[in-house]
Amino acid sequence: MKIPLSWLRELVDFDIPAEDIAHGLTMAGLEVGDVIVVGGWENCSVGFVERVERHPNADRLVLCTVDLGEDAPHQVVCGAPNVAQGQKIAFAQVGASLIDARNGKLSKLKPAKIRGVVSRGMVCSERELGLGEDHDGILVLPSDAPLGMALDDYLGDTILDLEPTPNRSDWLSVLGVAYEVAALTGNRVRPPEVLYTEEGQEIRNLLSVNIQDADLCPRYTASLIRGIRVGPSPRWLQKRLEQCDVRPINNVVDVTNYVMLEYGQPLHAFDYETLLRQRIHVRRAYTGETMTTLDEIEIPLGSDHLVIADDRDARALGGVIGGLDSGITEATTDVVLESASFDPSNNRRTAADFSLRTEATVRFEKGLRPDLPPLALRRATQLIQQVAGGTVARGIIDVYPEREKPRPMLLTTARMKQVLGMEHSMEQAASVLRSLGFDAAVENDETLRATAPPWRSDIIIEDDLVEEVARIVGYDSIPTEMLETAIPYHDGQELRAFRERVRDLLVRQGLQEIISYSAVGLDLLRKARIADTDDDLLTVSNPMSREFKYMRPTLRASLMNTLSYNVARDARAVAIFEMGRIYLKQGEDLPQEPEIAAGLLHGQRTGEGWLSAPASYDFYDAKGIVESLLGRLGVEGEFRPLADDFLHPGKAAAVSVNGAVVGSVGEVHPLTAEAFEVDGTVVFFEINVTRLFEAMPQARQSVKPLYRFPASLRDISILVGRDVPAARIQQIIDGQPLVERAVLFDVYEGDEAPPGQVSLGYRIHFRAPNRTLSARDVNRSLARVLSLLEREVGAVQRGAGEGDVA
Amino acid sequence: MSMTSAQLIEDLGGVQSEALDELQGLTSEESLEEWRVKFLGRRGRLTTVLRTLGSLPPEDRRAAGQEANRTKTLLEEELGAARRRVREGRFALLAEQEQIDVTRPGRPATVGRYHPLTQIIREMCDAFVSMGFQVIEGPEVEWDHYNFEMLNIPSDHPARDMFNTLWIDHKDAEGRQSMLLRTHTSPMQARTMEKTDPPVRVVVPGKVYRYEATDATHEWHFHQIEGLAVDKGITMAHLKGTLYEFARRVFGPERKVRFRCDYFPFVEPGVDMSIDCFVCEGQGSVNGSPCTVCREAGWIEILGAGMVHPKVLSDVGYDPAIYTGFAFGIGPDRVAMLKYGIEDIRLFYSNDLRFLGQF
Ligand SMILES: [Zn+2]
């Protein structure tokens, strides 16, 4: 909403700079996005073109003699095709700063010699003055422009570009903003004086209005002006509209727009002659009914839509747009002016149904009060008579079936104290409210009674009054205090704390955290071999684009995307993880949103340094991350081979904790890696943190006693079939009574191992809690380990007896 | 052969001077050990002399014994001194003998990194936790009921325009779209109050979604931290105090804070908090050219807040005549951008390691 200060000044006095007004409005809740200064044209004034002659040396140039009301006229060279004798124009003398039409920059006007003729000054175009884009010809001023007047005084203005909040329909009006300015400056608003003469017949003998659906139209007022002449509006009216970005059309339509800008109440004008039997019915449309709008679009109506109809046809879509056939034309002589209230929800829905958000609907949808229409109606009637002539029929139509009673509200010091933490005196509060146009009466030291003005539809409860006082006095006056009451306890923080711990542990293992978009496209899921169809996916109805059509069912796809993106940018080592939610459809309920931690490792594990031999990430890096994570959380994972389309069929494992599957680890399927243009191995892990949290043992962790007696170490080396899982061997060794732990320290699968066999080296730690073990104890236990290994998995000791003491 | 004490003392003197002579030239720990064996060992020279002590007449033994002990103590002390000398001499050579090139790069330890938004969200939540707020979270896919209705935004309310909504393909029993991606973290206001009796004091971080064209300062997907405190006697003064303290912790004590009136349907009165621009120090321009961070305003809007609307309280069964509270919502993405001078919000979600590696 743009409002020129010149218009505001008509309604309220203020003598502070525009910047201060802008600041005050912004602090009080009406943000001023921009203060646009129109003008600053030094050495420019209104001129009169006395004579236009041919340029002696150029066909397309003319010599203009311009009178500025001074002694001597000025002669300048001009190239504009539209310059003509007798015009009022904007004339710039030497020294004026104008916008150079070629580069848009300001430059000082100097005397020039154009094709042999000296030119001292210039007849300006809109663009040169910064008033618009037009540079096809000069700006022609109205003939009543005062000769010699400084252009700043004639055309200059300052325009506030306002960003009103959706609750304040009155901030879409000059009057509404004037009351804000009045409250901020302590001045009084002068509402427009509305005076006109009514003549001839009573309007009710000339027009009837019947509201059939009062739920959608609580009040309908109308006036009738006959014998008018439709034509262009006077310059002052056009200028105002243009300053507010409204295009002038004709004097009648311009007045309805002007009053809408002034009062915030949209109006509509019908051609009286086109209304069949001069009867208006405000009713829901019939099923199958249609109407052609002013924009010449035929729209299909239904019982959800409110129309303004004559005895036969819908003539306007109430509060949204007029119909083509009843609009004001050059031929119109008699005008019915409509100023009515419409149901905000219905108005908003109707506008949405036909994509017709108009200047009217953005106001009606905010819920204009029924008190407003007659005020705006009378103002518009006056202006139409003023600019288009004609006679006004006696009285107005005012159909208002269920008259709203004035709703005085109480404001108490107690509530102010309870909400703001401070009090204002009732006198001060009343004075603020009055300056905003409220009726306010102080009842006693603790109470006042206030009634909102007709243009305020946002004042519903006492706290609304509290805000009015607080925002006008200024939030700076409210004190600053810390919360001092007891701290409440809230459930539901445990999972989050656990998740943050997992995040910490992954970062500590050297991974870079990423955060990806929560939605994915089917193309990406297909590329990652995750899903072929969208059957089980949670679908966004109005996605930003195809790539964000589905809420992600996994973090895998976006991790691969991130890997691919960075590999394409020369990342040599990628070790990333994301901690985020996935979204799993759950019938009619909201989806499940489990927390997932998943990561990818690719490229050089060891970095490029001189200290380390190059090595790439492999399966056991990913597994090691999961093992360390679980170990640090105090649980042990169980790993079993897993079939999963995303992963390499021979290098994938499911991870379980306390019997519950909580995730997976594996090498990304080479086809997937290839699809994402990643060369070499990519390894992956994924933990469902929500499920892991549920699988965590309930018992409190207890501290184990510290060792008191030394351990004895033995290394063994065994040959065993390749199909025997290391986990099985580990289980057998760990199961022996004196074995504290065993570490697989060597694996040999090379040529010297017998076919189908692998050589494994284990370092076994023996320890007893209550004594130092003798060599005999240890040897006996070791022998049992070996014989069990032989019996259970056919393991044979290799090179027995050598180097078996560490 | 019989000994006299004089002879023995003379022998001791001989051993002593010979030992001290030899000790002078020794420079290694090995040669010192050889010297110790030679003179002080079980078959060493001094011991050999001492063994003859028993053959002296008893009246001579005392004086000779004293002399022998003195010699032994002297040699042991000298040995100790020589050992210290040799050790010190060895360490004096470390620089020459064991010098490495300390300018070669070290062996890198792997250190992971948090996403900058994780860091900023933690920092911001911590500020509130220290003021007694507890951190909870809520669903990102929400019902219209919690995202709008319970926040005093009925359907067809113009304030819905403030929240361009992404809807989920789902129809309720009446055929209406009722499931959506939450447009703010505010649905947790009603959810929390429905579950708990007052008092309430929580912050709710999480992802939120808007149907909004993306550019350097707009994303359709970003984060928010909701705050809610409801109790008897909570006023706008507490709102100001809490947010002042938050700003002080996160932006530093030198920042100025400004509260202006603003509108959000679920609060009344409504507040918008700004801090003075730390790029232009609130001047609106830097060295004569317009400040791009605050767009010449001198102030940067940081968060929206207000006193919880009585309708929101009564809808969850709290009596607004007894209980009051405040709520606020902050965008960590924007805070991180300001704090780290990030000019494009999309960098947060493109996961370029060259960007993430800077935090
Ligand atoms: Zn700035």
Side-chain angles (χ1 to χ4, degrees):
Chain A
M1 175 81 188
K2 283 185 179 158
I3 294 186
L5 284 189
S6 58
W7 198 345
L8 266 183
R9 284 186 201 282
E10 216 174 87
L11 301 170
V12 61
D13 291 325
F14 52 92
D15 52 9
I16 54 175
E19 280 67 33
D20 292 356
I21 292 285
H23 175 73
L25 290 173
T26 299
M27 294 302 283
L30 175 53
E31 193 168 357
V32 180
D34 207 354
V35 177
I36 305 155
V37 177
V38 181
W41 304 297
E42 263 177 76
N43 296 323
C44 294
S45 47
V46 177
F48 176 75
V49 183
E50 271 185 1
R51 243 190 346 270
V52 177
E53 297 157 285
R54 281 196 48 215
H55 188 292
N57 307 324
D59 289 344
R60 304 176 71 173
L61 300 175
V62 292
L63 305 179
C64 301
T65 308
V66 177
D67 177 19
L68 296 178
E70 297 162 349
D71 303 341
H74 298 250
Q75 194 183 55
V76 293
V77 176
C78 182
N82 65 333
V83 68
Q85 188 193 329
Q87 283 170 338
K88 289 275 179 65
I89 47 91
F91 186 79
Q93 299 187 55
V94 168
S97 281
L98 295 177
I99 294 171
D100 188 327
R102 285 161 304 189
N103 59 21
K105 288 187 179 138
L106 271 182
S107 65
K108 271 238 154 69
L109 187 61
K110 293 181 200 120
K113 204 173 199 181
I114 302 170
R115 296 273 182 120
V117 179
V118 175
S119 183
R120 303 179 65 84
M122 189 192 260
V123 182
C124 303
S125 71
E126 268 189 22
R127 200 194 296 180
E128 282 155 348
L129 294 170
L131 281 172
E133 282 311 298
D134 193 357
H135 191 58
D136 294 339
I138 55 150
L139 171 66
V140 181
L141 301 177
S143 55
D144 60 359
L147 186 63
M149 183 185 257
L151 206 59
D152 273 349
D153 294 339
Y154 183 62
L155 280 184
D157 209 337
T158 299
I159 294 174
L160 301 179
D161 192 356
L162 306 170
E163 293 164 15
T165 52
N167 57 326
R168 295 293 297 267
S169 55
D170 62 310
W171 281 346
L172 292 168
S173 76
V174 184
L175 201 56
V177 175
Y179 276 99
E180 292 292 316
V181 173
L184 293 169
T185 57
N187 294 321
R188 288 250 164 261
V189 171
R190 291 181 302 273
E193 228 178 291
V194 180
L195 276 175
Y196 56 86
T197 331
E198 297 172 349
E199 287 171 60
Q201 289 200 59
E202 286 282 340
I203 187 171
R204 61 172 184 271
N205 299 329
L206 300 167
L207 178 72
S208 81
V209 174
N210 160 35
I211 300 182
Q212 282 175 26
D213 291 299
D215 58 327
L216 301 186
C217 175
R219 187 175 198 175
Y220 195 99
T221 68
S223 67
L224 176 62
I225 308 115
R226 309 178 75 181
I228 60 150
R229 230 180 45 239
V230 175
S233 297
R235 180 62 206 157
W236 66 266
L237 177 48
Q238 292 188 348
K239 183 181 156 193
R240 285 264 162 95
L241 295 183
E242 281 163 359
Q243 284 178 320
C244 298
D245 289 344
V246 175
R247 193 165 51 92
I249 294 170
N250 60 48
N251 46 12
V252 174
V253 174
D254 290 354
V255 165
T256 60
N257 283 330
Y258 185 88
V259 175
M260 175 181 74
L261 294 170
E262 194 172 45
Y263 278 72
Q265 166 73 39
L267 300 104
H268 186 63
F270 294 100
D271 184 332
Y272 178 63
E273 294 298 328
T274 64
L275 298 175
L276 186 65
R277 297 196 194 97
Q278 279 75 52
R279 286 214 281 245
I280 286 177
H281 304 275
V282 184
R283 58 165 170 85
R284 287 186 156 83
Y286 307 127
T287 314
E289 193 170 7
T290 63
M291 189 190 85
T292 303
T293 68
L294 283 170
D295 304 340
E296 300 186 35
I297 295 163
E298 187 177 299
I299 53 175
L301 303 169
S303 60
D304 291 340
H305 308 125
L306 184 79
V307 296
I308 314 301
D310 59 16
D311 262 6
R312 189 180 55 217
D313 294 322
R315 292 308 198 171
L317 194 53
V320 180
I321 195 165
L324 182 63
D325 301 331
S326 61
I328 305 301
T329 67
E330 298 284 313
T332 302
T333 58
D334 301 347
V335 173
V336 174
L337 257 186
E338 164 203 287
S339 181
S341 304
F342 296 106
D343 174 69
S345 299
N346 178 263
N347 181 270
R348 186 174 157 91
R349 273 199 303 271
T350 302
D353 283 351
F354 302 116
S355 303
L356 283 171
R357 286 204 85 201
T358 59
E359 286 293 326
T361 66
V362 300
R363 289 170 172 84
F364 281 125
E365 69 171 21
K366 294 181 174 59
L368 299 179
R369 296 257 306 276
D371 303 340
L372 196 51
L375 301 180
L377 181 76
R378 291 206 166 88
R379 171 67 168 155
T381 305
Q382 172 203 26
L383 284 176
I384 286 184
Q385 196 185 33
Q386 184 186 324
V387 303
T391 57
V392 180
R394 284 184 198 281
I396 59 166
I397 300 274
D398 186 357
V399 187
Y400 192 8
E402 283 173 53
R403 189 169 288 270
E404 259 183 36
K405 297 206 180 69
R407 290 195 330 127
M409 292 161 53
L410 294 183
L411 173 63
T412 60
T413 49
R415 186 60 183 173
M416 263 199 267
K417 176 96 180 151
Q418 193 183 13
V419 173
L420 302 177
M422 71 176 301
E423 289 172 29
H424 294 285
S425 75
M426 284 294 117
E427 268 68 32
Q428 192 187 4
S431 145
V432 166
L433 291 172
R434 280 188 211 115
S435 68
L436 287 166
F438 288 69
D439 261 345
V442 177
E443 303 219 318
N444 55 45
D445 281 355
E446 276 112 44
T447 317
L448 67 75
R449 187 174 291 269
T451 310
W455 53 89
R456 292 296 299 271
S457 56
D458 61 308
I459 305 295
I460 316 287
I461 59 171
E462 185 180 3
D463 290 6
D464 295 327
L465 295 177
V466 172
E467 183 184 63
E468 290 307 293
V469 176
R471 72 184 181 86
I472 296 297
V473 174
Y475 284 176
D476 283 348
S477 65
I478 296 169
T480 298
E481 286 169 30
M482 294 308 290
L483 289 169
E484 280 156 3
T485 44
I487 294 171
Y489 176 80
H490 295 279
D491 288 335
Q493 305 172 75
E494 294 77 10
L495 171 61
R496 181 175 184 279
F498 181 76
R499 185 196 67 201
E500 292 309 301
R501 192 152 173 237
V502 172
R503 195 195 310 264
D504 287 340
L505 290 170
L506 292 174
V507 167
R508 280 184 215 161
Q509 295 198 60
L511 302 180
Q512 165 71 58
E513 186 189 12
I514 66 164
I515 297 179
S516 326
Y517 294 107
S518 307
V520 291
L522 197 53
D523 291 347
L524 183 65
L525 293 177
R526 286 202 178 115
K527 191 170 159 187
R529 300 161 53 89
I530 289 165
D532 273 330
T533 68
D534 59 6
D535 287 351
D536 297 321
L537 303 179
L538 194 69
T539 310
V540 180
S541 309
N542 54 334
M544 298 306 302
S545 69
R546 276 167 64 87
E547 10 161 22
F548 301 126
K549 191 163 167 42
Y550 305 99
M551 295 308 285
R552 61 184 179 193
T554 168
L555 304 188
R556 296 173 175 191
S558 39
L559 278 166
M560 283 306 294
N561 227 11
T562 299
L563 172 65
S564 176
Y565 176 97
N566 284 290
V567 165
R569 281 157 187 78
D570 292 333
R572 298 180 59 88
V574 177
I576 53 176
F577 82 99
E578 177 160 14
M579 172 71 77
R581 294 184 187 179
I582 60 172
Y583 309 85
L584 307 176
K585 234 189 194 167
Q586 207 178 202
E588 291 303 299
D589 278 338
L590 291 177
Q592 288 184 337
E593 297 182 16
E595 302 276 1
I596 309 294
L600 286 180
L601 307 167
H602 167 75
Q604 295 252 310
R605 178 210 304 147
T606 44
E608 292 177 287
W610 58 286
L611 288 159
S612 41
S616 294
Y617 285 115
D618 64 24
F619 174 89
Y620 294 105
D621 289 299
K623 186 180 175 192
I625 286 172
V626 174
E627 284 173 325
S628 302
L629 169 70
L630 296 177
R632 192 64 185 68
L633 292 170
V635 291
E636 209 177 325
E638 215 182 302
F639 296 78
R640 290 207 191 86
L642 168 73
D644 180 327
D645 287 346
F646 180 68
L647 300 173
H648 188 299
K651 300 178 183 174
V655 187
S656 316
V657 168
N658 293 329
V661 175
V662 298
S664 58
V665 52
E667 188 176 314
V668 171
H669 198 292
L671 280 173
T672 307
E674 198 182 290
F676 282 87
E677 288 165 17
V678 177
D679 282 338
T681 308
V682 181
V683 290
F684 166 79
F685 67 88
E686 182 177 61
I687 296 291
N688 185 319
V689 177
T690 304
R691 215 178 285 165
L692 174 60
F693 178 66
E694 285 155 7
M696 291 297 284
Q698 292 303 306
R700 188 118 44 91
Q701 188 184 337
S702 56
V703 174
K704 290 188 195 111
L706 306 182
Y707 315 133
R708 290 184 56 209
F709 297 94
S712 296
L713 271 51
R714 295 286 189 279
D715 287 355
I716 61 166
S717 178
I718 54 171
L719 272 173
V720 69
R722 298 180 81 127
D723 55 344
V724 178
R728 176 81 187 106
I729 297 168
Q730 188 81 43
Q731 190 189 23
I732 292 167
I733 304 175
D734 286 349
Q736 279 315 296
L738 294 177
V739 172
E740 183 183 61
R741 61 196 175 93
V743 178
L744 175 65
F745 71 87
D746 184 47
V747 176
Y748 181 73
E749 304 176 275
D751 294 341
E752 281 166 45
Q757 298 224 300
V758 56
S759 161
L760 302 174
Y762 284 90
R763 173 156 302 166
I764 308 177
H765 297 237
F766 298 89
R767 195 195 303 267
N770 53 358
R771 66 200 160 97
T772 302
L773 291 176
S774 68
R776 248 185 78 210
D777 293 332
V778 174
N779 290 340
R780 211 188 285 157
S781 182
L782 181 65
R784 256 200 318 272
V785 166
L786 288 167
S787 77
L788 257 179
L789 284 176
E790 185 168 8
R791 203 171 70 213
E792 297 284 327
V793 296
V796 182
Q797 193 180 12
R798 201 162 165 259
E802 292 167 25
D804 58 347
V805 178
Chain B
M1 195 179 91
S2 82
M3 288 279 281
T4 67
S5 73
Q7 213 174 347
L8 190 138
I9 288 168
E10 196 190 313
D11 283 355
L12 279 174
V15 171
Q16 177 181 320
S17 59
E18 190 185 335
L20 290 179
D21 273 357
E22 266 187 45
L23 193 60
Q24 289 254 299
L26 300 181
T27 55
S28 73
E29 286 182 7
E30 295 78 36
S31 55
L32 286 176
E33 180 58 17
E34 280 169 26
W35 181 91
R36 186 191 67 78
V37 171
K38 180 173 172 187
F39 291 101
L40 295 169
R42 266 159 59 191
R43 292 187 183 113
R45 297 275 305 281
L46 185 64
T47 320
T48 313
V49 176
L50 289 177
R51 280 213 188 94
T52 59
L53 206 58
S55 60
L56 287 184
E59 64 275 14
D60 286 352
R61 274 187 210 161
R62 196 176 143 88
Q66 276 175 357
E67 183 60 18
N69 275 332
R70 193 198 55 78
T71 306
K72 190 180 177 199
T73 307
L74 176 80
L75 290 187
E76 278 169 353
E77 279 171 7
E78 287 297 320
L79 175 64
R83 275 188 170 148
R84 281 196 294 278
R85 194 184 69 230
V86 167
R87 267 173 68 86
E88 279 158 18
R90 177 157 62 82
F91 286 118
L93 294 175
L94 282 181
E96 279 165 44
Q97 292 173 347
E98 297 181 24
Q99 187 167 59
I100 58 164
D101 180 356
V102 298
T103 67
R104 285 182 202 159
R107 185 173 282 116
T110 52
V111 180
R113 283 189 167 89
Y114 296 94
H115 191 281
L117 287 174
T118 300
Q119 297 180 37
I120 202 85
I121 289 170
R122 284 185 171 187
E123 190 185 331
M124 291 164 76
C125 286
D126 285 352
F128 289 113
V129 165
S130 72
M131 291 184 267
F133 287 79
Q134 306 206 7
V135 187
I136 58 165
E137 292 179 5
E140 292 171 23
V141 182
E142 255 297 1
W143 298 118
D144 184 297
H145 176 75
Y146 285 111
N147 196 76
F148 290 126
E149 302 276 341
M150 293 296 280
L151 289 166
N152 197 25
I153 315 171
S155 52
D156 304 318
H157 194 285
R160 288 213 173 194
D161 292 348
M162 298 166 80
F163 311 97
N164 297 324
T165 308
L166 284 156
W167 296 92
I168 295 291
D169 252 0
H170 175 277
K171 292 262 170 21
D172 67 11
E174 279 121 59
R176 276 187 312 230
Q177 269 193 317
S178 55
M179 203 188 275
L180 47 76
L181 298 180
R182 65 176 176 194
T183 58
H184 44 193
T185 40
S186 313
M188 279 305 282
Q189 289 189 22
R191 280 185 179 275
T192 306
M193 290 191 282
E194 277 181 346
K195 242 177 57 179
T196 334
D197 287 330
V200 169
R201 208 186 295 178
V202 292
V203 283
V204 189
K207 276 183 178 174
V208 299
Y209 305 84
R210 299 273 171 94
Y211 185 83
E212 206 158 277
T214 54
D215 60 28
T217 52
H218 295 89
E219 256 292 7
W220 65 274
H221 162 293
F222 52 98
H223 290 77
Q224 214 171 56
I225 297 176
E226 188 77 11
L228 176 71
V230 180
D231 202 345
K232 288 176 189 159
I234 291 188
T235 71
M236 211 156 148
H238 295 114
L239 165 64
K240 281 181 74 176
T242 303
L243 294 179
Y244 261 128
E245 179 60 13
F246 160 76
R248 196 177 68 87
R249 280 170 189 257
V250 174
F251 299 105
E254 66 279 7
R255 289 273 69 76
K256 292 197 203 86
V257 173
R258 179 182 98 171
F259 293 93
R260 58 172 281 262
C261 179
D262 204 353
Y263 168 72
F264 307 98
F266 37 100
V267 293
E268 186 70 25
V271 176
D272 168 297
M273 186 177 95
S274 303
I275 55 169
D276 65 329
C277 179
F278 37 75
V279 173
C280 63
E281 295 292 339
Q283 298 307 304
S285 60
V286 186
N287 301 327
S289 39
C291 178
T292 51
V293 172
C294 63
R295 281 177 289 155
E296 299 184 72
W299 294 94
I300 302 169
E301 286 179 14
I302 291 297
L303 61 86
M307 297 303 289
V308 181
H309 197 287
K311 177 88 166 59
V312 173
L313 292 175
S314 57
D315 281 357
V316 296
Y318 285 19
D319 185 347
I322 298 174
Y323 293 101
T324 49
F326 62 79
F328 55 84
I330 324 170
D333 300 61
R334 187 162 152 68
V335 171
M337 287 173 79
L338 292 169
K339 246 192 128 152
Y340 301 125
I342 298 164
E343 286 182 354
D344 193 332
I345 189 173
R346 291 167 294 193
L347 282 169
F348 288 130
Y349 306 105
S350 63
N351 292 318
D352 191 317
L353 296 179
R354 295 167 301 180
F355 170 74
L356 296 178
Q358 298 177 39
F359 297 92

